[in-house]
Amino acid sequence: MNKIIVYVDDATHAQHILGPVSARQAGDGGAAGSTHWILVACAPRMTHRISKWVSHSARENWRAKWADKLFAQVVPWLRAGSSQHTVSTVLAKGPLPELLTQLLAEHGTGTQVMDARRPKQEAAVPVAAPAAAAPVSVIVTKKPSRNWSLPGSLASIAAMLFLVAE
């Protein structure tokens, strides 16, 4: 039985990532046997200031509802690929490396791990321009340094002291 641990935070992005893998697993059929998907829901981070407004139990309830909604979208899609697919769900409540260590100990160290989470906006790669577009020249200008140079600042301080002393 193939076991695959998958980190998920968005259903549509996960379907794009897992589509080829699921099709390959279903295509192997009897040769590879059944596939056991272990879905790990990674809820969005909440700021540390939210504890001022929301209790811990309310946050845990929100995470559970969020994960149930995510699993309701992903699990039927994975099971539709093949009747041999089994799916188990886990909600990440702590750091992912610790959870991964626990899951690998439970399911075996040969378990495949996939990250199907949506990339963060800061890390997103910009879309390339079409090839037919004219090349754009980039002009790089160096911004002036905002640090004062030591001799210049000492000279101006000395000038101010000289003017004040007169």
Side-chain angles (χ1 to χ4, degrees):
M1 173 181 282
N2 294 333
K3 293 183 180 182
I4 303 173
I5 298 172
V6 183
Y7 294 133
V8 181
D9 66 352
D10 182 53
T12 55
H13 185 73
Q15 289 174 357
H16 290 292
I17 300 293
L18 298 177
V21 177
S22 178
R24 184 171 17 122
Q25 295 294 329
D28 290 346
S34 61
T35 302
H36 183 183
W37 296 91
I38 300 123
L39 295 179
V40 179
C42 305
R45 289 187 59 93
M46 294 183 199
T47 63
H48 66 280
R49 293 181 183 93
I50 202 162
S51 63
K52 185 186 227 181
W53 307 104
V54 180
S55 68
H56 179 71
S57 61
R59 281 182 279 163
E60 291 300 319
N61 287 339
W62 177 83
R63 276 192 194 103
K65 287 179 185 176
W66 178 88
D68 289 341
K69 200 181 301 184
L70 177 72
F71 292 144
Q73 294 173 349
V74 177
V75 170
W77 178 79
L78 279 175
R79 286 190 178 146
S82 172
S83 62
Q84 297 179 349
H85 289 191
T86 57
V87 180
S88 59
T89 58
V90 177
L91 174 58
K93 294 183 181 178
L96 291 180
E98 293 173 10
L99 179 63
L100 179 62
T101 305
Q102 179 185 0
L103 289 173
L104 287 176
E106 182 180 338
H107 296 285
T109 56
T111 304
Q112 183 180 357
V113 179
M114 293 182 66
D115 190 358
R117 294 177 292 173
R118 181 175 297 280
K120 294 183 179 179
Q121 295 297 329
E122 301 89 40
V125 179
V127 178
V136 177
S137 61
V138 177
I139 299 173
V140 178
T141 58
K142 185 176 177 183
K143 293 183 179 179
S145 174
R146 297 195 184 259
N147 298 334
W148 289 358
S149 63
L150 185 62
S153 61
L154 286 177
S156 62
I157 290 173
M160 290 297 289
L161 287 174
F162 181 71
L163 288 174
V164 170
E166 283 189 355

